[in-house]
Amino acid sequence: MNVGMLLDMAADGYESRVAIGSLADGVSYDGLRRAAGAIAARVAGSDAATIAVTEPNGAIVPATLFGAAWSGTSYAPLNYRLPEPALAELLVRLAPAVVARADWLDPSAPLPAGFPDEPERPAVLLFTSGTSAEPKAAVLGHDQLLAYIFNTVEFASAEADEAVLLAVPPFHIAGVAAVLSSTYAGRRIVPLPRFTAEEWLEVARAERVTHAFVVPTMLARIVQAMEEHPDARVPTLLHLAYGGARTPAPVLERALHLFPDAGFVNAYGLTETSSTVCVLGPDDHRAAHESDDPAVRARLSSVGRAVPGIEVRVVDPEGRELGPGVSGEIRIRGAQVSGAYVGQGSRVDTEGWLVTGDRGFTDTDGYVFVEGRGDDTIIRGGENIAPAEIEDALLRHPAVSAAAVVGLPDEEWGERVAVMVALRPGSTAAPDELRAWVHERVGSLKTPELVAIRDELPHTPTGKILRRQVRAELAEERER
Amino acid sequence: MANLLGKRYTCPVCEATVLVTKPGDGELSCHGQPMEVLQAKPLPSSD
């Protein structure tokens, strides 16, 4: 199969509906199909294996995704903020590749001829964010992406007035998945080329946005902006999905309070799994929020349950399955799971299970709790410490806007707990005050021995905290 | 019975599933009987 069929069906089914842009001057599904055809025509007869996009969100993004599918080449969205030499290096790894240009888009081009039913090349090549290592290009096949869409989205399920605010960049898996699922559902995409909380709120209001997906750093900034500007509200918002990394509980609690009428959706997924594999839906959020049962309340910090077609299990270091409530490594299996990389081995075992590298556990009803990357677990004097609990405690301090807890190598303890925090503008807090705050909430074992204060934490272009850089900076600071 | 664009039909005997990518007239059948429309699973949008 070919992901081009999603756009083909959409254009046949609701051709004049706006696919992307404003209601007044956006591109229709029919126009998007023609633009995709125009892009496919550009590479027809060339030796290009990949069509890259090096621009922020806009019509060029879905047009190139589907244009590549139409021509049987791979779509590779790249980080447009990278300096020229770094971009050139990525393009070499994808060669022979061409970069799509805005002037290739022609929504009035003739209707394109059919796409290959069984394209030889994969649909999408996506560089992973590499929070702990160099980025790798994940390979996502047509059948894998379609398995995700067919298992989770019903065709034409969106109402005519629905619109999704696309704020994650095109080179994030959620940016790829949003294009596919919105197209299939018939939900208008409102692209946000560059994220700021103020812009997000303003565009969401002006475009009467009903759906949105944000990564935790975006959610934290939106919450902060709304608290500072009580009239900045988005009354049309029905669904607010968040994911991409663990969302700190204090940020989520504030968001639930600020969007009382929106349904919250926590999505867990990896680039390698073609986006979402677990979902905590609006009903789960409500039940957890209102319940007196601690086990049900705890689910607010879970990522929900596996989506149809996906199996999740938690294993020990020897690969043996662990029971409910026991932490281990999370493994995932299903038709949407890839695990393959350009020029490297696969991370899927012989039975089809993807080794995620994430630590977590399940409860007796199958709710999945993700504790973080396995590499991020701190082992101090033989005790496993998850950074999440300490970070959540710090984020409840009124002056703290972001926190990253890491382990630093230590001869006596194996590792010691250290933290880098960013403070809210205009706020102050001394390191000793923050240490006392954490000590009071999570105990002495988990109290950071080093507290460094910064204006901002280092993060990837997709909003994940760069823990290896935090670790390196803190190690250097300790030496001084 | 018309086959509607984007609807899924399944065979009650072998569970084969068909997705309608081009609508048209006629009736889908499998194992000598009409295929049944699959009801949508309500799943919240997550991206």
Side-chain angles (χ1 to χ4, degrees):
Chain A
M1 287 192 284
N2 185 318
V3 296
M5 68 191 283
L6 303 176
L7 176 58
D8 216 24
M9 290 171 69
D12 283 346
Y14 25 80
E15 46 186 57
S16 62
R17 228 189 236 197
V18 173
I20 182 163
S22 290
L23 283 177
D25 59 358
V27 179
S28 69
Y29 288 97
D30 179 61
L32 187 57
R33 178 164 58 181
R34 291 169 192 270
I39 286 185
R42 287 278 177 169
V43 297
S46 79
D47 68 344
T50 305
I51 312 182
V53 159
T54 57
E55 290 183 53
N57 278 319
I60 192 166
V61 168
T64 308
L65 196 171
F66 289 117
W70 236 274
S71 64
T73 58
S74 300
Y75 165 69
L78 302 180
N79 179 2
Y80 46 82
R81 296 191 200 92
L82 287 175
E84 204 55 48
L87 267 180
E89 205 170 294
L90 294 185
L91 285 167
V92 165
R93 289 172 61 182
L94 304 173
V98 293
V99 179
R101 292 180 6 203
D103 63 358
W104 290 7
L105 290 190
D106 183 2
S108 60
L111 264 185
F115 43 77
D117 277 336
E118 300 293 336
E120 279 174 41
R121 297 197 177 86
V124 175
L125 303 175
L126 202 54
F127 283 97
T128 61
S129 54
T131 53
S132 55
E134 286 307 304
K136 298 177 284 190
V139 174
L140 299 175
H142 287 267
D143 289 355
Q144 289 154 351
L145 290 161
L146 287 172
Y148 168 62
I149 296 300
F150 294 150
N151 278 330
T152 63
V153 187
E154 197 64 23
F155 180 72
S157 53
E159 301 291 331
D161 61 353
E162 287 185 12
V164 59
L165 185 53
L166 182 56
V168 287
F171 51 87
H172 189 289
I173 180 61
V176 173
V179 168
L180 300 177
S181 58
S182 305
T183 300
Y184 196 58
R187 185 175 297 122
R188 176 170 64 104
I189 295 172
V190 176
L192 192 69
R194 283 180 178 81
F195 175 85
T196 64
E198 290 70 23
E199 188 87 353
W200 189 93
L201 287 162
E202 197 179 310
V203 173
R205 219 169 21 251
E207 291 287 343
R208 304 186 60 77
V209 158
T210 55
H211 291 63
F213 173 88
V214 289
V215 297
T217 44
M218 291 177 176
L219 188 60
R221 288 177 194 181
I222 291 164
V223 161
Q224 195 169 322
M226 290 175 78
E227 285 168 349
E228 285 162 15
H229 306 282
D231 51 341
R233 294 292 181 269
V234 188
T236 52
L237 196 70
L238 301 173
H239 270 266
L240 182 56
Y242 58 98
R246 200 190 67 88
T247 299
V251 172
L252 176 61
E253 286 160 15
R254 285 152 67 200
L256 284 165
H257 178 71
L258 288 161
F259 291 101
D261 301 323
F264 278 68
V265 183
N266 188 3
Y268 169 63
L270 288 75
T271 303
E272 292 85 345
T273 60
S274 310
S275 193
T276 309
V277 289
C278 290
V279 161
L280 185 79
D283 296 342
D284 295 319
H285 277 81
R286 217 164 290 125
H289 201 55
E290 290 165 2
S291 178
D292 295 326
D293 180 347
V296 176
R297 275 197 75 83
R299 287 178 188 157
L300 205 52
S301 60
S302 79
V303 296
R305 289 189 276 198
V307 300
I310 282 293
E311 299 170 82
V312 176
R313 70 176 186 184
V314 176
V315 299
D316 70 9
E318 279 75 47
R320 287 174 299 217
E321 187 162 10
L322 296 167
V326 186
S327 282
E329 196 206 41
I330 298 173
R331 300 216 170 158
I332 293 163
R333 183 163 72 176
Q336 69 184 72
V337 173
S338 166
Y341 303 93
V342 174
Q344 291 180 47
S346 168
R347 251 168 66 192
V348 169
D349 71 13
T350 50
E351 290 172 351
W353 292 97
L354 176 77
V355 177
T356 65
D358 283 339
R359 273 188 74 80
F361 61 93
T362 58
D363 73 8
T364 47
D365 289 317
Y367 285 79
V368 179
F369 294 74
V370 181
E371 297 171 300
R373 299 292 300 166
D375 304 347
D376 297 337
T377 303
I378 301 163
I379 306 172
R380 182 185 184 275
E383 291 277 346
N384 281 351
I385 301 175
E389 187 186 1
I390 307 171
E391 289 167 7
D392 281 2
L394 279 160
L395 283 164
R396 291 187 195 280
H397 189 284
V400 174
S401 69
V405 171
V406 297
L408 295 183
D410 182 77
E411 281 182 20
E412 189 184 354
W413 293 97
E415 280 186 300
R416 281 178 192 262
V417 181
V419 60
M420 187 181 280
V421 296
L423 300 182
R424 294 190 190 210
S427 297
T428 53
D432 279 346
E433 180 191 340
L434 295 176
R435 294 183 66 239
W437 176 275
V438 174
H439 186 272
E440 202 176 297
R441 282 159 181 81
V442 297
S444 59
L445 175 76
K446 297 172 182 172
T447 297
E449 289 164 61
L450 176 63
V451 176
I453 293 172
R454 297 280 194 280
D455 291 337
E456 205 181 4
L457 301 188
H459 55 76
T460 69
T462 51
K464 287 182 196 172
I465 293 171
L466 269 168
R467 289 178 189 274
R468 74 190 142 121
Q469 194 176 325
V470 170
R471 208 173 286 126
E473 285 185 27
L474 290 176
E476 200 174 293
E477 190 150 327
R478 185 177 57 171
E479 296 308 310
R480 271 189 245 131
Chain B
M1 183 174 104
N3 297 301
L4 298 171
L5 180 63
K7 283 280 177 224
R8 279 182 265 199
Y9 295 81
T10 186
C11 170
V13 178
C14 72
E15 294 185 348
T17 304
V18 170
L19 172 70
V20 179
T21 60
K22 297 276 178 198
D25 297 330
E27 188 177 62
L28 291 161
S29 66
C30 186
H31 278 93
Q33 48 184 302
M35 297 182 85
E36 295 167 357
V37 177
L38 260 185
Q39 288 307 316
K41 306 172 287 286
L43 200 67
S45 165
S46 63
D47 46 39

